[in-house]
């Protein structure tokens, strides 16, 4: 409670861009935990209240599973935490690399409200680079999408990974 004569000390309201960048920094931290040999991609799902629900990293090589992308791993963990069956209504996924068509379809099926990604993926991107699964005509659920957030940092971890393979 503010007493007469006192001024309220208010923190500046976080803008959408600032929040997206803060959350992408968290996804970059998660990407750094990707098992050796897997492409370093980090995904974080935030709940309707803004709390972190779950994270995921690529584990295709580790698990020998073609569906073990960071986004799918995060979705699987988040639905268990949120407890609304398979739905992630009101949630936001933040991922360091543009989701592929499979992951975009999974995000759409899970009813994720918004998707924020870092680096664009022109060869396999499912959110506008190659195809746009999330905004296809007739889509039953269309989440908001923001791409290119901290793009240079996100692309940099991929360049480093692939450069070390050569």
């Amino acid at each position: 409670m503010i007493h007469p004569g006192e001024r309220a000390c208010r923190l500046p309201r976080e803008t959408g861009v600032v929040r997206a960048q803060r959350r992408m920094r968290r996804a970059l931290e998660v990407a750094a935990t990707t098992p050796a040999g897997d492409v370093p991609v980090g995904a974080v799902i935030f709940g309707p209240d803004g709390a972190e629900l779950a994270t995921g990293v690529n584990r295709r090589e580790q698990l020998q599973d073609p569906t073990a992308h960071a986004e799918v791993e995060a979705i699987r963990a988040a639905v268990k935490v949120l407890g609304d069956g398979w739905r992630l209504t009101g949630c936001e996924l933040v991922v360091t690399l543009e989701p592929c068509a499979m992951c975009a379809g999974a995000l759409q099926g899970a009813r994720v409200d918004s998707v924020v990604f870092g680096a664009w993926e022109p060869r396999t991107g499912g959110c506008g680079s190659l195809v746009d699964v999330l905004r296809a005509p007739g889509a039953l659920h269309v989440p908001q999408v923001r791409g290119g957030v901290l793009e240079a940092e996100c692309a940099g971890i991929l360049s480093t990974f692939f450069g070390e393979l050569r």
Side-chain angles (χ1 to χ4, degrees), residues 32-103:
T33 69
T34 302
D38 273 297
V39 178
V41 176
V44 184
I45 296 182
F46 295 91
D49 63 356
E52 183 177 307
L53 292 178
T55 63
V57 295
N58 275 351
R59 296 186 187 282
R60 291 185 307 170
E61 297 299 327
Q62 182 188 48
L63 299 177
Q64 297 294 290
D65 178 355
T67 68
H69 289 203
E71 300 92 330
V72 173
E73 295 290 300
I75 289 169
R76 288 175 178 157
V79 295
K80 291 176 184 172
V81 173
L82 195 57
D84 188 19
W86 50 267
R87 291 174 186 83
L88 294 174
T89 306
C91 295
E92 177 172 81
L93 174 109
V94 180
V95 61
T96 57
L97 181 64
E98 178 183 1
C100 68
M102 175 188 72
C103 292

Side-chain angles (χ1 to χ4, degrees), residues 98 104 108 115 117 120 126-129 131-139 141-147:
E98 178 183 1
Q108 197 166 48
V115 176
F117 65 87
W120 295 86
C127 298
S129 286
V131 295
D132 198 346
V133 172
L134 296 178
R135 292 173 290 227
H141 176 74
V142 182
Q144 294 180 1
V145 178
R146 176 180 290 191

